[in-house]
Amino acid sequence: MPSETNRLHPLSAVTLALQRGLTGLSMPFFAVMILSTVFDGVDIDWLFMLSPIGFVVGVGYGIAYYYRFTYAITSRTFDVTSGVLSRRSREIPYRRIQNVDVSQGVLYRIFGLAVVSLETAGGGETEATLNFVSEAEAERLRAEIRRQTARVDGASSDERAAPAAGVDETTRHDRSRSDRGPTLLFELEPTELLVYALTSFRWGAAVFPIALVIFLTSADSGSGLVPAFVLEIARPIGGPASLDSATVSSLLILVAVTSLQWAVATYVASAIYTVANYYGFRLGRAGDDFVYERGLIQRYSGSIPVDKVQSVSITENPLQRLVGYAGLWVETAGYGPESSGGSQSAVPLAETDRSYRFAENLTGVETPRFQRPPTLARRRYLVRYSLIAAVVVAVAFGLAQVTGLERWYLAAAVFVAVPIAAHLKYVNLGYHVGDDHLVIRSGFWNRRTIVIPYYRIQTVSTRRSIFQRRLGLASLAVDTASSRTFSWGTPTVPDLELETARELHGSGRERLQSAVRERARSDETGLSVDFT
């Protein structure tokens, strides 16, 4: 099917011209500044001639890039052509498209503009970005790509299931839903958003207090390396009045107080980020796709084809478990906007029972009956954490020899936490081998329960470290096509008895082959988009 060639919004030409113009303006500046220090014949006055020329060339390049950038929707692919001096043409098959995401900043919303990103399977980065188009065009692209993807997938499954019979009325009715408005599945209530913000801790938010300290330090030249307010807060409890007159004990107090301030500032920044990022979160169903929207300042929306979902995860940290809440994530094989991985939050936070019920309805998995590794694994964790505690005591002793630190032996109190840590790690491990799914649970600080359909498993491997070989243990690693595994680590059942690991390895391979054959004969996606 031929398709009309489209260009970006005209304001893109203005933006590209300014961006390239500033680049062209700055390049002669840096070149002349560097060359003037090397060659005597290079005069600084050249800047007044070369910089305007660079600006004009950059503006011209930006405008040319705008006119040379086109995109089109065809019957089989989404085509993007770009480049001025070096042309690049990309044909993205609908079968590979995992997510279609639309983002809008504050200024974009004011001008009615949006950025459309296409994420594909196995991609380490966004495959195509349309920066930017009108809101109406963004919605049209998302709906049309979703329709074309459903058509291509439906035609493929129809050929496998009944090449001569055509599409039955029920199937046609289900696919026609993609042309209707989305059906709401979940909406994050203000109370749930507040609980999510107060029970989440995002390490990326640590950049904010660090940047604040750097700014205040540069603004207050009299405080040296540390802002004055940090010294003032630590002084009443034994901190130094200045770094020049500081003793070892006062410096340690300063470090402790500064760390506490950093943790509080990071927690506050994390809560603000969570509210801004997940404000107005809504998840809906459009045909066989999940559609979502969220965000206060930067508004995100997108669609996830259900047949691209690789696995489903339930996440909960200690605070969330204490108040009885958990989150639900769906993971695809593409690159998504969440944590640079192909992962989307289907339910950011809900009551734990509700999240588990969502996971069971979504995947069709039976309620898991978890089995734990043998108790020998707990002994292994006890030894591991004891070694870590010994290192902490050794470091304290070394500091005492160099700095004169008194009562270094108090660091031995860390051994009290060793059996507790070993026990908590052990009791939060578990696995369940179901008829159609493998369920793995692990982690204490961020406990993750992942449901993996057998037909989504890529490889099953048995791994043994030196210490595991001595104890007769092994770990079972289960790879899927989800990009999230690269950032969170491959889903693994750790420290099983060797015979159990080998049995699960063989069983997993057989179930994988059987599930793939069954799926090839079936027209089912394997997941339900109506999971409420």
Side-chain angles (χ1 to χ4, degrees):
M1 178 186 70
S3 176
E4 178 185 356
T5 298
N6 301 277
R7 285 196 173 92
L8 301 176
H9 194 278
L11 284 179
S12 293
V14 179
T15 303
L16 287 168
L18 290 177
Q19 289 176 344
R20 305 294 185 176
L22 291 176
T23 302
L25 181 71
S26 61
M27 288 178 62
F29 175 82
F30 289 109
V32 171
M33 293 296 293
I34 294 174
L35 292 176
S36 64
T37 61
V38 179
F39 302 102
D40 295 333
V42 178
D43 193 345
I44 297 295
D45 293 337
W46 291 8
L47 287 174
F48 298 102
M49 177 181 64
L50 296 179
S51 292
I53 295 176
F55 179 78
V56 173
V57 172
V59 168
Y61 185 89
I63 294 175
Y65 187 89
Y66 166 77
Y67 279 104
R68 300 282 279 175
F69 188 103
T70 60
Y71 63 91
I73 295 178
T74 70
S75 60
R76 295 184 177 275
T77 60
F78 183 84
D79 299 342
V80 178
T81 304
S82 61
V84 178
L85 302 178
S86 177
R87 297 287 286 168
R88 181 187 182 190
S89 297
R90 284 165 289 172
E91 296 181 352
I92 307 172
Y94 296 119
R95 196 183 304 277
R96 291 187 60 237
I97 295 177
Q98 303 288 322
N99 311 322
V100 180
D101 297 298
V102 178
S103 61
Q104 293 180 279
V106 175
L107 290 177
Y108 286 4
R109 292 208 298 271
I110 291 175
F111 291 102
L113 302 174
V115 177
V116 179
S117 301
L118 270 64
E119 329 291 353
T120 58
E125 57 184 13
T126 300
E127 182 68 24
T129 300
L130 308 183
N131 189 4
F132 36 73
V133 297
S134 66
E135 288 181 343
E137 176 67 0
E139 290 301 321
R140 184 189 76 85
L141 287 174
R142 183 165 55 188
E144 184 63 19
I145 292 174
R146 187 166 62 229
R147 189 182 69 82
Q148 293 286 355
T149 302
R151 182 187 60 80
V152 171
D153 291 344
S156 177
S157 61
D158 290 340
E159 290 174 1
R160 292 194 306 266
V167 184
D168 61 32
E169 189 62 30
T170 302
T171 304
R172 184 181 295 108
H173 174 72
D174 289 339
R175 287 169 189 162
S176 68
R177 293 180 181 176
S178 61
D179 297 328
R180 305 176 185 176
T183 301
L184 182 64
L185 298 178
F186 178 83
E187 184 174 11
L188 192 65
E189 299 294 335
T191 302
E192 294 170 326
L193 177 61
L194 180 61
V195 173
Y196 190 33
L198 295 179
T199 59
S200 301
F201 190 87
R202 303 175 186 275
W203 288 102
V207 175
F208 170 73
I210 293 174
L212 182 62
V213 167
I214 293 174
F215 173 77
L216 293 176
T217 301
S218 61
D220 185 3
S221 59
S223 61
L225 297 175
V226 180
F229 76 92
V230 176
L231 295 173
E232 290 297 327
I233 294 176
R235 186 185 302 172
I237 57 176
S242 66
L243 294 181
D244 296 333
S245 60
T247 63
V248 174
S249 59
S250 63
L251 280 177
L252 291 177
I253 293 175
L254 177 63
V255 169
V257 172
T258 303
S259 299
L260 180 61
Q261 288 177 294
W262 170 82
V264 172
T266 301
Y267 177 74
V268 173
S270 173
I272 294 173
Y273 170 84
T274 301
V275 170
N277 207 33
Y278 286 95
Y279 177 84
F281 181 94
R282 293 164 59 92
L283 180 75
R285 168 191 177 177
D288 285 337
D289 291 356
F290 292 125
V291 292
Y292 65 90
E293 57 180 82
R294 61 179 173 83
L296 179 61
I297 300 175
Q298 183 85 1
R299 193 69 182 168
Y300 296 96
S301 60
S303 61
I304 309 170
V306 68
D307 62 345
K308 310 298 184 184
V309 174
Q310 301 294 311
S311 59
V312 175
S313 296
I314 295 175
T315 60
E316 45 190 337
N317 61 36
L319 280 177
Q320 291 167 350
R321 291 200 296 272
L322 182 65
V323 297
Y325 280 81
L328 178 69
W329 296 73
V330 294
E331 303 173 25
T332 67
Y335 173 89
E338 303 280 351
S339 306
S340 300
S343 180
Q344 297 287 348
S345 181
V347 177
L349 199 72
E351 293 181 353
T352 302
D353 292 342
R354 189 180 180 196
S355 293
Y356 275 93
R357 187 169 64 253
F358 282 171
E360 292 177 6
N361 293 341
L362 174 61
T363 62
V365 66
E366 64 273 20
T367 302
R369 297 184 297 275
F370 288 107
Q371 303 180 57
R372 290 199 187 109
T375 54
L376 186 61
R378 180 161 44 192
R379 289 171 49 192
R380 182 172 179 245
Y381 306 143
L382 186 66
V383 173
R384 178 190 300 174
Y385 295 139
S386 296
L387 292 175
I388 296 175
V391 170
V392 172
V393 175
V395 169
F397 176 76
L399 288 175
Q401 304 306 309
V402 176
T403 63
L405 177 67
E406 299 179 356
R407 299 181 180 178
W408 61 269
Y409 49 83
L410 293 179
V414 72
F415 279 99
V416 175
V418 167
I420 300 174
H423 175 72
L424 290 176
K425 179 176 178 61
Y426 177 77
V427 297
N428 283 284
L429 293 175
Y431 66 94
H432 169 75
V433 181
D435 295 332
D436 301 305
H437 305 79
L438 177 64
V439 186
I440 301 174
R441 186 178 67 186
S442 63
F444 169 73
W445 295 108
N446 190 10
R447 190 166 72 181
R448 180 190 183 202
T449 304
I450 177 170
V451 181
I452 308 174
Y454 288 123
Y455 68 86
R456 288 302 190 190
I457 295 176
Q458 301 286 320
T459 60
V460 181
S461 58
T462 302
R463 303 174 182 177
R464 303 183 71 195
S465 67
I466 297 176
F467 302 102
Q468 285 178 316
R469 287 199 294 268
R470 290 177 58 88
L471 298 174
L473 301 176
S475 296
L476 190 72
V478 182
D479 284 308
T480 68
S482 172
S483 297
R484 188 65 184 260
T485 59
F486 296 113
S487 57
W488 263 10
T490 301
T492 302
V493 184
D495 298 316
L496 297 171
E497 291 181 347
L498 180 57
E499 290 303 319
T500 302
R502 287 175 175 171
E503 180 181 347
L504 288 178
H505 189 163
S507 174
R509 185 168 58 243
E510 294 174 0
R511 290 172 184 265
L512 165 61
Q513 295 170 353
S514 175
V516 170
R517 288 194 299 268
E518 181 65 26
R519 180 171 166 79
R521 293 192 297 264
S522 174
D523 191 27
E524 297 295 328
T525 62
L527 297 173
S528 170
V529 290
D530 199 10
F531 64 87
T532 53

